[in-house]
Amino acid sequence: MPVVPVTDSNLQKAASIIREGGLVAFPTETVYGLGADAWNPEACARIFEVKNRPFFDPLILHLAEYEMVFELCSQVDPRADRLMKKFWPGPLTVVLPKVEKVPDIVTAGLPTVAVRIPAHAAARELIRLAKTPIAAPSANPFGRLSPTTAKHVEDQIGENVDLILDGGPCEVGVESTIVAFIEDKPYLLRPGGIPLEEIEKEIGPVEIMKSSQRSPLSPGLLSRHYSPRTPFIILSGDLPKIDPGKKIGFLAFQKPPKSGLFQTVEILSPSGDLREAAVNLFACLHRLDNANLDIIYAEPVPEEGLGRAIMDRLRKAAGKG
Ligand code: AMP
Ligand code: MG
């Protein structure tokens, strides 16, 4: 449970905890991950316990070197290869057919495995020192807001992890984009830190997996996820009538709302920059959720570039993903 800064000796300590089957929360550029040795099914099972994550929701494996892909995947589609070479290290996860020995608990029994190399030096050093792929979902209870600081991790699951490495706030702030290669076709399973437009520039059109099609292929992508405990509504048009007796929060994209009736206001990006909005998204949501409000209203953001990932998280927070 101790929170320690990223130093050489703490990385060594974290790596030995992973090798011994423990759990380490560590920073990545997207959000903080809760990591375990991917080859150790018991250690991976603890991830599910601590997060209260359903076993049907597969884990993403974090690698330090591109070559590790070939230890885990039985086939690498040339387009996946192009994406990995272009965007790794970075917030892109690819889903490819797995080799037999990848534990079923990691893949939820699917014949595929999800892999990525994070763009965070401490994360890669941890993986290198642990000498194993690290299975790591976000370090938060299942369905709740993702952690973008070590404090978010400590507050939510601190008691149940062996070590939390504090590497400061995450630089991207939303989870990775997930692209699966299924029967020769690329599918976007989750919008994330690499915009779809950039992916399509590399490999041509990518089909966006609709929520109704997703469940057997990517079981974890539920319509409610990344949720605050406070009721959360995305505005479409004007503000609804506000009951002055209620404590209401507002999540704005760029400018504060005109109405003075809000108890707490958070602004994603005063300059209207979607990248900055993504970085701030979960921290703003954590603050709103901790402000004892009756309801939170959110303004939609433009649905382009990183705005697609932001709107996906907002819709899921509202249970409408
Ligand atoms: P996260 O909770 O951010 O770690 O992301 C994990 C998500 O990646 C899961 O909820 C799945 O939707 C997706 N995923 C992981 N492994 C696979 C896989 N083998 N096939 C399809 N989707 C996967
Ligand atoms: Mg998560």
Side-chain angles (χ1 to χ4, degrees):
M1 177 223 303
V3 183
V4 298
V6 170
T7 60
D8 288 348
S9 65
N10 287 334
L11 281 166
Q12 292 282 2
K13 188 166 156 192
S16 45
I17 292 174
I18 296 276
R19 276 199 304 270
E20 286 156 18
L23 296 187
V24 173
F26 64 98
T28 79
E29 80 282 26
T30 59
V31 303
Y32 272 70
L34 179 63
D37 177 358
W39 294 123
N40 180 335
E42 286 80 26
C44 292
R46 254 190 85 202
I47 293 181
F48 287 88
E49 261 169 61
V50 168
K51 282 183 62 80
N52 208 359
R53 182 176 172 114
F55 284 106
F56 61 72
D57 191 358
L59 304 176
I60 294 174
L61 301 190
H62 292 68
L63 320 179
E65 321 283 349
Y66 166 77
E67 286 68 31
M68 271 194 193
V69 170
F70 302 94
E71 276 177 47
L72 297 160
C73 304
S74 58
Q75 284 165 48
V76 179
D77 184 289
R79 287 161 298 181
D81 199 50
R82 201 169 323 150
L83 293 181
M84 294 187 284
K85 287 187 174 133
K86 172 82 185 178
F87 297 112
W88 281 3
L92 171 77
T93 296
V94 293
V95 173
L96 293 166
K98 70 162 196 145
V99 298
E100 186 83 23
K101 64 179 180 178
V102 176
D104 278 340
I105 190 163
V106 165
T107 64
L110 294 168
T112 52
V113 62
V115 288
R116 90 173 185 103
I117 300 183
H120 194 297
R124 287 199 306 277
E125 190 56 20
L126 173 63
I127 301 163
R128 221 173 272 129
L129 292 169
K131 298 192 174 62
T132 181
I134 294 186
S138 49
N140 57 328
F142 181 71
R144 297 271 300 281
L145 294 173
S146 298
T148 53
T149 64
K151 175 92 170 70
H152 293 156
V153 180
E154 192 185 10
D155 290 347
Q156 296 194 90
I157 56 166
E159 282 172 19
N160 297 317
V161 303
D162 300 311
L163 191 75
I164 301 173
L165 278 175
D166 186 348
C170 300
E171 284 186 351
V172 173
V174 289
E175 290 81 353
S176 57
T177 303
I178 306 181
V179 180
F181 290 82
I182 299 159
E183 289 168 4
D184 282 349
K185 246 181 110 176
Y187 290 88
L188 180 75
L189 297 186
R190 173 174 76 186
I194 303 280
L196 179 63
E197 293 87 334
E198 288 188 32
I199 289 172
E200 292 192 323
K201 229 187 274 167
E202 291 302 310
I203 61 168
V206 173
E207 189 158 327
I208 299 177
M209 188 73 79
K210 290 192 211 72
S211 41
S212 56
Q213 302 169 291
R214 271 187 217 133
S215 43
L217 290 171
S218 201
L221 302 175
L222 309 175
S223 58
R224 186 175 186 88
H225 206 150
Y226 312 112
S227 289
R229 288 153 299 178
T230 316
F232 185 85
I233 291 176
I234 304 175
L235 291 171
S236 54
D238 289 343
L239 279 175
K241 249 193 133 120
I242 288 177
D243 175 350
K246 289 252 187 296
K247 287 189 284 178
I248 314 227
F250 192 85
L251 179 67
F253 172 42
Q254 188 172 4
K255 293 196 193 82
K258 292 200 185 77
S259 161
L261 285 172
F262 298 101
Q263 184 106 2
T264 309
V265 173
E266 290 286 341
I267 298 177
L268 289 174
S269 168
S271 62
D273 174 15
L274 288 167
R275 197 168 291 269
E276 182 183 34
V279 171
N280 292 330
L281 176 68
F282 283 115
C284 288
L285 288 170
H286 277 285
R287 283 195 294 270
L288 286 163
D289 201 23
N290 290 333
N292 277 319
L293 301 164
D294 293 307
I295 191 161
I296 302 167
Y297 287 110
E299 193 175 46
V301 306
E303 210 148 348
E304 63 197 28
L306 286 179
R308 206 186 287 270
I310 296 171
M311 282 308 294
D312 173 77
R313 306 307 185 268
L314 293 181
R315 286 199 191 96
K316 287 186 171 144
K320 300 220 156 49

